[in-house]
Amino acid sequence: MIQELYTIFQKYPNITTDSRKITPNCIFFALKGDNFNGNKYAKDALEKGAAYAIVDEKEYVTSEQTILVNDALESLQKLANYHRKQLNIPIISLTGSNGKTTTKELINAVLSKKFNTTATKGNLNNHIGVPLTLLSMNSDTEIGIVEMGANHKREIAFLSSIAEPDYGYITNFGKAHLEGFGGIEGVIIGKSELYDYLKASDKFIFVNGDDTKQVERTQDANTYVFGGSDTYDLSIEFLTANPMVSCAVDGKKIQSQLIGSYNFSNIAAAIAIGTYFKVNSDDIKEAIEAYIPSNNRSQILTKNTNKIILDAYNANPTSMKAALDNFSDLTDTSKIAFLGDMFELGDSAKEEHQFINDYAASLEIEKIYLIGENFGITNSTNEKIVIHSTFESLKENFPALENSTLLIKGSRGMALERILELL
């Protein structure tokens, strides 16, 4: 059946799983979720111009353009893996607790200076996004870059079995998705499934030599090590992050438009991977310096008289602490932090939110506003800390701010970019 589907895919290479985004002669895969059944939209997809609809419920087979399979999602995944085997190109996969998408974008910016690349769009990095990324690659693609996300063990192993990467990189192990992984050790085991796959396949790993956990996990692997030491395969010197990160390779300075020292390792990974693939050093510098973050990730904005560091795409205890450290180190006066709840922490939620409350209060920050149900049950006697259990409460009591530097950070569900409307 997969070979039959692949023959159709070769003729109609555009795939969609959203009946609202049908393009002429695409193939619609009718996927199911907790609150939807794509099979119900198969007929509509065909009427909108899809060449075929792949369904897994017999009652929705309405024409010869409807193909019945046992499981539409499984068929999408198997088709993606079959396609990957035909591509015969190097594929780089990356995962990690923080910085995945930024690092992927930087790697793509660097490698696309020399190669025709296809990379994960946005953060479509799960059991649906990875297959769609692979299926978006074609005969023009010279290198594929696949981001992998997970919130449970065995997910990275499964995604690796679909993408079959030749190269891998893990940004870090942090306190993200603790509820699903069952704690930080679970995170390390789960993310390391990429390393396990690459080792078992005798493939290649890029390693941040300054991260002892990454070094420990890759002792017996084929590696290319980068970081701040002259003993590594590539030495990259950290210069400053006040406020933008700059670094140097072989004495050549690279000035990024990314804020926060925590972005140094993301930049360094892109430089290292570009160097490994023999991208010209001037092109690497140009790619890094031209990259501007978007989608609420470490963006620097100005509104009225206030400078804003908008990092509201996501948050966990590790990334929150790193953002606070960087913010505290800035030489700006009148620094105000707006921190939103961190999700998916399970039994650790109360402890981790109280830690951030206490930690933020100890830093060189004038005022810290904590927003959300989890922060709402934390305690502080420090007058710098202001707690609002809901965004509506913050909105009703929003302070008048002028000539201030603001940090806005929280989990995606908090949508703290709404603060911009209050300034």
Side-chain angles (χ1 to χ4, degrees), residues 131-417:
L132 290 176
T133 297
L134 293 167
L135 290 165
S136 70
M137 298 177 190
N138 56 37
S139 58
D140 293 330
T141 305
E142 294 174 307
I143 294 182
I145 305 162
V146 180
E147 180 183 332
M148 295 178 174
N151 53 23
H152 291 83
K153 292 176 188 174
R154 305 306 303 160
E155 282 185 275
I156 296 297
F158 178 64
L159 296 178
S160 296
S161 73
I162 296 173
E164 298 187 17
D166 304 286
Y167 300 88
Y169 174 64
I170 297 180
T171 58
N172 49 46
F173 301 127
K175 294 179 177 180
H177 306 296
L178 295 181
E179 185 173 22
F181 281 112
I184 187 64
E185 285 305 315
V187 171
I188 293 171
I189 292 168
K191 297 297 184 180
S192 292
E193 288 164 9
L194 176 58
Y195 288 158
D196 297 338
Y197 173 86
L198 293 164
K199 289 178 191 177
S201 307
D202 198 29
K203 301 297 185 181
F204 208 83
I205 299 171
F206 296 101
V207 182
N208 177 1
D210 300 333
D211 186 329
T212 54
K213 283 289 184 186
Q214 305 303 322
V215 174
E216 286 171 14
R217 287 272 162 173
T218 54
Q219 285 295 321
D220 52 346
N222 302 319
T223 59
Y224 183 87
V225 182
F226 64 89
S229 171
D230 291 338
T231 63
Y232 299 157
D233 295 299
L234 182 67
S235 176
I236 305 172
E237 180 187 2
F238 173 75
L239 297 179
T240 185
N242 193 14
M244 308 293 192
V245 178
S246 62
C247 58
V249 183
D250 292 331
K252 180 182 290 184
K253 182 180 177 181
I254 298 176
Q255 177 63 61
S256 81
Q257 299 187 62
L258 284 163
I259 194 165
S261 55
Y262 50 87
N263 267 311
F264 169 63
S265 59
N266 302 334
I267 294 165
I271 294 169
I273 292 171
T275 302
Y276 176 85
F277 282 100
K278 294 181 169 54
V279 179
N280 180 279
S281 60
D282 288 336
D283 287 339
I284 293 175
K285 173 180 166 70
E286 187 176 289
I288 299 293
E289 292 187 341
Y291 176 74
I292 300 173
S294 59
N295 298 325
N296 304 321
R297 287 185 174 89
S298 298
Q299 287 179 264
I300 294 190
L301 310 170
T302 302
K303 189 156 186 188
N304 299 324
T305 59
N306 299 302
K307 182 170 78 175
I308 302 134
I309 300 169
L310 181 61
D311 197 6
Y313 184 80
N314 220 334
N316 57 57
T318 304
S319 66
M320 187 74 87
K321 181 177 181 297
L324 283 167
D325 285 339
N326 181 76
F327 192 56
S328 178
D329 288 343
L330 296 181
T331 55
D332 303 45
T333 57
S334 185
K335 292 180 288 188
I336 316 291
F338 292 87
L339 310 179
D341 273 1
M342 304 170 289
F343 294 170
E344 295 185 58
L345 295 180
D347 294 339
S348 302
K350 184 176 181 180
E351 175 188 350
E352 295 293 351
H353 282 85
Q354 185 62 56
F355 170 78
I356 293 296
N357 180 323
D358 298 337
Y359 189 72
S362 72
L363 299 174
E364 294 295 318
I365 301 173
E366 183 178 314
K367 208 80 174 176
I368 299 109
Y369 293 87
L370 304 176
I371 308 116
E373 291 181 17
N374 286 305
F375 274 129
I377 58 173
T378 61
N379 301 301
S380 179
T381 56
N382 193 307
E383 61 183 19
K384 293 198 295 187
I385 299 288
V386 179
I387 298 173
H388 292 283
S389 297
T390 65
F391 185 85
E392 286 66 33
S393 173
L394 171 70
K395 186 176 179 179
E396 290 170 10
N397 300 278
F398 199 77
L401 298 173
E402 291 183 352
N403 302 309
S404 297
T405 300
L406 317 181
L407 169 66
I408 301 175
K409 186 165 181 66
S411 280
R412 182 82 301 270
M414 292 300 296
L416 285 193
E417 65 274 12

